[in-house]
Amino acid sequence: MNDLLPGAVERWQHLEATVHRVLAAYGYREIRLPIVEKTELFARSIGTHTDIVEKEMYTFEDRNHESLTLRPEGTAGCVRAGIENGLLHNQVQRLWYGGPMFRHERPQKGRYRQFHQIGVEAFGMEGPDVDAELILMNARLWRALGIDELVLQLNSLGTPQARAAYREQLVRYLESRRDELDEDSRQRLAKNPLRVLDGKNPAMQEVIAGAPSLLDHLDEASRRHFEGVRATLDAAGVRYAINPRLVRGLDYYTRTVFEWTSERLGAQSAVCAGGRYDGLVEQLGGKSAPAAGFALGLERLAELLSVPAAVAAEASPQVYLALPGSDAERPGLLLAERLRDGGLRVECHCGGGGLKAQLKRADRSGARFALLLGDEELAKHCVAVKDLRTDAPQHLVAQDAAADYLKQRLSASA
Ligand code: ATP
Ligand code: MG
């Protein structure tokens, strides 16, 4: 679980602000959800025989001996909230939420125990158009963030019925190669065989590649649905690779599943994953409603991001007000207030000290200008303006005119 310090946090602010803007452009609205839910919510939605539920959840008993869990993902809580608040029955909802998720995994680069997602969920739309729109929204987001390297993998899991037939074939295949399976895969074979396809062990990749393809077992309606998604992506010029082994780590998906990956991230390469989950609302006690969504992994996206200089600059004050004059503190604070009234970002020196030390702090603040309020300036109701980033000569301006003067200098050099 990581601290995010000033200097790193600006990248996150830029990332989040950009995501919010793109989501709003598609009519998505924010929903805020609790971080803690009843444990059974996750067991019932994610699936009992998944890594998350079997070994990764932070689960505890509260004072009433109720079993609670720090959310390992957001979809389950969003569906619960949608059912409880009557948002899902016969309605269309486009929702998003963000915040920390918790999984007790082995920490490594790109994999943390507290990590952050922005999750997006679309309820009440069953056609392939919304699946495609979610992916187009992803593509627009990557453009807005200036990330151009992501590769889209696409698959369809079909309906649970079609998957059951496939599952039998897969089990037969895996049994026939049992000697080559690692311990993890043998356990998955016994409990949840499709999860073998999601194995990350390089030694298993050849066995996985030889497995029968889920796409050969799709029911007719799922096949048409998948064709619909692909046709829209083709028409919009979004490139993708069909990956018939893409199964995702959560059991609630049906039909479309997808993942965006980057080669720059090493082993933890997925920055965004999602798909359709038509059965989940009913499974959690609501009236049946189609749904699809995705989650962005913010740590991994932040890793790929470079913040535009103009955005980074906004994290610093534009002006540092130094107060070398005796009794300059109060007039200084009041002058700083007036400059902020004028729309400037101002850091006002507090705590005294010599001019040299104050200018050192001014420089470190990242401000473009230092303003000096010494005894002489105080007496004349002026302030001296020192450009910290060029050799321009120091300039004396009336305090009343300072805000306009500074804004003009700032916009002249922008
Ligand atoms: P992975 O295959 O990387 O384990 P997952 O299938 O568990 O991912 P999801 O539960 O679908 O992933 O989560 C969506 C996204 O959240 C992932 O693509 C990834 O970017 C991010 N993510 C998941 N787990 C972690 C983690 N422990 N630390 C950081 N980011 C994570
Ligand atoms: Mg995982």
Side-chain angles (χ1 to χ4, degrees):
M1 301 191 186
N2 297 307
D3 302 309
L4 254 180
L5 305 183
V9 96
E10 290 74 20
R11 180 189 288 252
W12 282 71
Q13 291 172 332
H14 173 60
L15 172 57
E16 288 165 351
T18 308
V19 175
H20 300 169
R21 204 174 62 239
V22 170
L23 289 170
Y26 288 78
Y28 282 79
R29 300 181 65 187
E30 183 179 5
I31 181 168
R32 298 205 178 185
L33 302 163
I35 288 173
V36 180
E37 297 275 359
K38 289 183 186 168
T39 303
E40 59 160 43
L41 174 71
F42 301 115
R44 279 169 64 197
S45 55
I46 299 169
T48 357
H49 297 304
T50 55
D51 285 354
I52 294 180
V53 172
E54 274 186 342
K55 43 192 189 200
E56 295 175 358
M57 295 204 304
Y58 283 88
T59 296
F60 61 97
E61 260 190 21
D62 74 358
R63 288 172 187 277
N64 305 326
H65 306 292
E66 186 158 30
S67 181
L68 302 180
T69 293
L70 300 186
R71 63 182 183 193
E73 58 99 56
T75 302
C78 187
V79 170
R80 178 207 47 74
I83 296 171
E84 278 179 15
N85 295 286
L87 304 180
L88 306 184
H89 185 43
N90 279 338
Q91 289 181 61
V92 164
Q93 294 286 354
R94 286 179 160 89
L95 302 174
W96 70 268
Y97 48 81
M101 307 292 162
F102 303 85
R103 296 182 195 176
H104 195 274
E105 305 197 69
R106 191 168 67 77
Q108 54 201 282
K109 184 170 178 293
R111 198 177 287 294
Y112 311 102
R113 289 181 172 175
Q114 173 176 310
F115 62 99
H116 297 77
Q117 291 184 336
I118 288 178
V120 173
E121 319 288 356
F123 295 101
M125 293 164 277
E126 63 186 354
D129 45 355
V130 72
D131 309 31
E133 190 189 61
L134 288 168
I135 291 170
L136 293 182
M137 188 157 77
N138 289 146
R140 180 175 300 278
L141 177 61
W142 314 145
R143 288 195 299 277
L145 292 169
I147 300 174
D148 58 10
E149 67 201 72
L150 295 178
V151 173
L152 173 61
Q153 295 187 49
L154 197 61
N155 192 20
S156 175
L157 302 180
T159 58
Q161 294 78 357
R163 210 149 67 210
Y166 167 74
R167 186 184 149 123
E168 279 174 30
Q169 276 214 14
L170 178 67
V171 169
R172 268 201 300 280
Y173 167 79
L174 292 172
E175 292 285 5
S176 77
R177 299 190 66 171
R178 186 173 244 301
D179 294 347
E180 297 159 76
L181 300 184
D182 62 8
E183 184 48 37
D184 204 30
S185 301
R186 282 184 199 176
Q187 286 195 11
R188 289 177 177 190
L189 172 56
K191 294 181 189 164
N192 192 351
L194 259 79
R195 303 270 311 117
V196 175
L197 301 178
D198 197 35
K200 304 286 189 311
N201 179 357
M204 289 294 304
Q205 296 314 308
E206 201 232 304
V207 177
I208 291 172
S213 168
L214 235 166
L215 285 175
D216 296 334
H217 293 79
L218 288 189
D219 54 289
E220 182 54 24
S222 295
R223 204 184 50 70
R224 274 202 312 274
H225 186 100
F226 195 43
E227 269 171 15
V229 176
R230 294 178 53 176
T232 304
L233 295 181
D234 291 339
V238 174
R239 299 227 308 256
Y240 54 84
I242 303 288
N243 176 357
R245 324 280 169 220
L246 184 68
V247 291
R248 312 287 305 104
L250 304 85
D251 279 354
Y252 50 60
Y253 287 107
T254 54
R255 295 192 170 160
T256 318
V257 290
F258 60 92
E259 223 170 77
W260 291 89
T261 56
S262 161
E263 290 206 330
R264 250 206 293 159
L265 291 171
Q268 317 317 325
S269 60
V271 298
C272 170
R276 181 162 279 283
Y277 53 94
D278 289 336
L280 186 60
V281 176
E282 190 173 22
Q283 198 178 310
L284 290 180
K287 289 253 165 53
S288 172
F294 62 77
L296 304 169
L298 298 189
E299 277 78 5
R300 296 182 196 174
L301 276 174
E303 182 86 14
L304 298 177
L305 198 66
S306 42
V307 179
V311 174
E314 281 173 28
S316 300
Q318 295 158 306
V319 173
Y320 191 97
L321 180 54
L323 307 174
S326 46
D327 294 325
E329 279 86 1
R330 184 163 306 124
L333 278 178
L334 297 180
L335 174 59
E337 286 298 317
R338 282 164 61 197
L339 296 173
R340 293 183 192 113
D341 289 344
L344 292 160
R345 296 191 303 276
V346 183
E347 183 171 340
C348 183
H349 185 84
C350 290
L355 177 62
K356 211 171 150 205
Q358 295 198 30
L359 282 177
K360 210 166 171 181
R361 275 215 234 162
D363 188 49
R364 256 188 284 154
S365 75
R368 163 76 190 280
F369 296 107
L371 299 194
L372 312 180
L373 199 54
D375 291 328
E376 199 187 325
E377 288 83 13
L378 274 168
K380 291 192 202 153
H381 299 286
C382 287
V383 68
V385 179
K386 182 177 166 61
D387 192 329
L388 293 168
R389 313 296 159 196
T390 71
D391 297 331
Q394 204 162 302
H395 194 83
L396 210 61
V397 281
Q399 290 181 10
D400 288 341
D404 286 340
Y405 173 79
L406 289 164
K407 281 189 281 185
Q408 207 188 340
R409 292 272 307 262
L410 284 163
S411 66
S413 59

